[in-house]
């Protein structure tokens, strides 16, 4: 009951505010007052949260908001899919688990397929979960190497004007990959694996002409690849290798007129046996709750812009 309600009933307050209810705690009972449909949703949400608590899961505001989203869609029972299922354990002993149903579908797809496309907005855990799966595959001896790459596409700044050699210039683009690997292996083990060549982190251009065998390969920020780069990357796959290709199609930094290689590849390759395309949504955002609202605001603005463009074309006709 204490874990459900939170400190000073803060977590119950989140549920009641979001669903326009009044909540009253009496002993070990929670009484909800409001519109009948809202009360029904509140009951479903609290039962979902209890299911998580009884299975040893942690409850926070992000998870509460996610349970509310599922209940509104009539999918409250889907929360059971998140029970257990430790993906990996960090160097400090923290267990990594899926926090949303979308993440669970994504992780299951990585387990079952040789090539997986993870497409979704910022904060959905695409890169982090892929790195966790790569580390788990290496530790269980399914692969011999972990290769992480991403296109070094400038987002407002030119690489040539930054100080340092090539490695220094591209390091900021690869920083999220460094951070995730260091958390999983620990800094000392990470450095040793880097020295032995077990872990390789490089710009996408360095992949040309290679055959990558017995490796777990992650292409991050793939929305910034061209069709030619994507084809080059996907055809590097060798015997015993697995690939995960991640990106956010709402944050393409390619020059105008260039179509994203991620969008093109996901379109033409979806449905091929051994290839899975997973589409995460704003509901799968697991960063600060405001990130979900920011993503949705930009999506609404993008939709309005499309509608304005459509109306403008109609008037011209």
């Amino acid at each position: 009951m204490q874990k459900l309600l939170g400190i000073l009933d803060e977590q119950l307050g989140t549920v009641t505010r979001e669903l326009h209810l009044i909540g009253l705690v009496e002993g070990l009972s929670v009484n909800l007052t409001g519109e009948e449909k809202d009360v029904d949703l509140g009951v479903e949400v609290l039962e979902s949260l209890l299911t998580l608590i009884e299975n040893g899961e942690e409850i926070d505001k992000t998870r509460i908001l996610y349970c509310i989203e599922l209940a509104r869609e009539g999918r409250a029972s889907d929360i059971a899919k998140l029970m257990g299922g430790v993906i990996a354990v960090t160097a400090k002993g923290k267990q990594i688990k899926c926090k949303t149903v979308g993440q669970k579908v994504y992780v299951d797809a990585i387990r079952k397929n040789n090539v997986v496309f993870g497409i979704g907005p910022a904060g959905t855990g695409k890169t982090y979960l892929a790195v966790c799966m790569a580390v788990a595959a290496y530790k269980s001896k399914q692969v011999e190497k972990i290769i992480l790459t991403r296109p070094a596409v400038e987002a407002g700044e030119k690489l040539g004007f930054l100080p340092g050699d090539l490695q220094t210039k591209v390091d900021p683009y690869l920083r999220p990959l460094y951070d995730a690997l260091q958390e999983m292996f620990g800094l000392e083990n990470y450095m040793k694996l880097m020295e032995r060549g077990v872990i390789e982190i490089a710009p996408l251009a360095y992949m040309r002409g290679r055959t990558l065998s017995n490796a777990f390969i992650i292409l991050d920020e793939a929305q910034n690849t061209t069709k030619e780069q994507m084809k080059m990357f996907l055809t590097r796959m060798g015997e015993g290798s697995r690939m995960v290709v991640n990106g956010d199609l709402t944050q393409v930094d390619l020059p105008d007129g260039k179509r994203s290689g991620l969008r093109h590849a996901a379109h033409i390759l979806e449905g091929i046996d051994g290839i899975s395309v997973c589409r995460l949504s704003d509901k799968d955002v697991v960063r600060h709750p405001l990130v979900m609202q920011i993503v949705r605001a930009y999506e609404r603005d993008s939709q309005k812009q499309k509608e304005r463009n459509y109306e403008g074309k109609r008037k011209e006709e």
Side-chain angles (χ1 to χ4, degrees):
M1 192 69 167
Q2 186 178 17
K3 291 180 179 178
L4 175 67
L5 300 177
I7 299 173
L8 299 176
D9 297 346
E10 180 181 3
Q11 292 177 173
L12 175 62
T14 298
V15 175
T16 55
R17 280 194 304 274
E18 290 293 320
L19 296 177
H20 311 292
L21 298 170
I22 297 173
L24 181 62
V25 180
E26 296 180 352
L28 295 178
S29 299
V30 177
N31 295 317
L32 299 177
T33 304
E35 296 288 334
E36 185 176 357
K37 62 180 178 60
D38 294 331
V39 171
D40 290 342
L41 285 176
V43 171
E44 289 185 358
V45 170
L46 293 179
E47 288 178 345
S48 296
L49 294 173
L50 279 172
T51 301
L52 290 171
I53 292 168
E54 288 166 356
N55 283 273
E57 302 289 335
E58 294 295 324
I59 301 299
D60 56 20
K61 184 175 181 179
T62 300
R63 183 151 278 193
I64 293 171
L65 294 175
Y66 181 64
C67 286
I68 292 172
E69 290 283 349
L70 287 180
R72 282 172 171 159
E73 295 177 2
R75 299 168 52 209
S77 60
D78 283 2
I79 204 69
K81 296 177 182 178
L82 300 177
M83 299 301 101
V86 177
I87 302 168
V89 180
T90 69
K92 294 183 178 180
K94 178 185 176 182
Q95 293 183 337
I96 306 301
K97 301 178 181 180
C98 295
K99 294 185 177 181
T100 71
V101 176
Q103 287 187 347
K104 183 71 165 57
V105 171
Y106 174 57
V107 167
D108 287 345
I110 294 174
R111 289 195 178 107
K112 297 173 184 176
N113 296 275
N114 295 106
V115 179
V116 174
F117 292 89
I119 301 172
T124 50
K126 303 182 299 296
T127 300
Y128 187 76
L129 290 175
V131 171
C132 289
M133 293 296 288
V135 171
Y138 172 75
K139 288 183 176 179
S140 61
K141 302 188 185 304
Q142 297 176 39
V143 297
E144 297 172 359
K145 291 184 69 175
I146 297 173
I147 300 173
L148 304 104
T149 183
R150 65 194 298 183
V153 175
E154 299 97 337
E157 292 185 80
K158 297 295 182 183
L159 283 173
F161 290 102
L162 298 175
D165 57 18
L166 177 62
Q167 191 61 45
T168 305
K169 290 177 180 181
V170 300
D171 271 355
Y173 292 87
L174 304 171
R175 177 51 57 188
L177 305 177
Y178 290 133
D179 293 342
L181 282 169
Q182 287 176 20
E183 182 178 353
M184 297 307 299
F185 282 116
L187 181 58
E188 188 175 340
N189 287 333
Y190 164 78
M191 295 301 294
K192 289 179 181 177
L193 293 172
M194 286 285 286
E195 290 172 6
R196 287 165 45 197
V198 172
I199 297 174
E200 181 180 345
I201 305 178
L204 179 60
Y206 286 22
M207 299 295 109
R208 189 174 296 278
R210 300 178 61 184
T211 299
L212 308 173
S213 302
N214 300 310
F216 196 113
I217 311 145
I218 299 173
L219 171 58
D220 198 32
E221 298 291 341
Q223 76 274 7
N224 289 327
T225 60
T226 62
K227 290 195 296 183
E228 294 77 16
Q229 286 176 319
M230 181 63 75
K231 180 183 176 183
M232 179 275 290
F233 173 76
L234 293 173
T235 53
R236 300 307 94 200
M237 189 175 191
E239 192 68 29
S241 286
R242 295 153 70 183
M243 286 183 164
V244 178
V245 180
N246 292 324
D248 177 3
L249 290 173
T250 67
Q251 297 192 55
V252 177
D253 297 314
L254 292 171
D256 291 341
K258 280 281 188 181
R259 187 182 182 190
S260 169
L262 174 61
R263 188 186 302 277
H264 177 257
H267 175 69
I268 67 170
L269 300 178
E270 189 167 14
I272 295 177
D273 192 35
I275 298 178
S276 176
V277 178
C278 297
R279 291 181 171 84
L280 300 162
S281 71
D282 53 39
K283 297 181 183 65
D284 298 301
V285 172
V286 292
R287 290 181 184 166
H288 192 285
L290 276 177
V291 175
M292 184 187 297
Q293 300 301 322
I294 291 168
V295 169
R296 287 178 175 173
Y298 273 94
E299 286 180 349
R300 288 194 297 270
D301 181 69
S302 178
Q303 185 60 38
K304 288 179 182 177
Q305 185 62 49
K306 289 179 182 177
E307 292 172 358
R308 284 195 293 267
N309 292 341
Y310 176 73
E311 287 297 324
K313 288 180 180 178
R314 283 187 60 186
K315 289 178 180 178
E316 288 176 5
E317 292 172 357

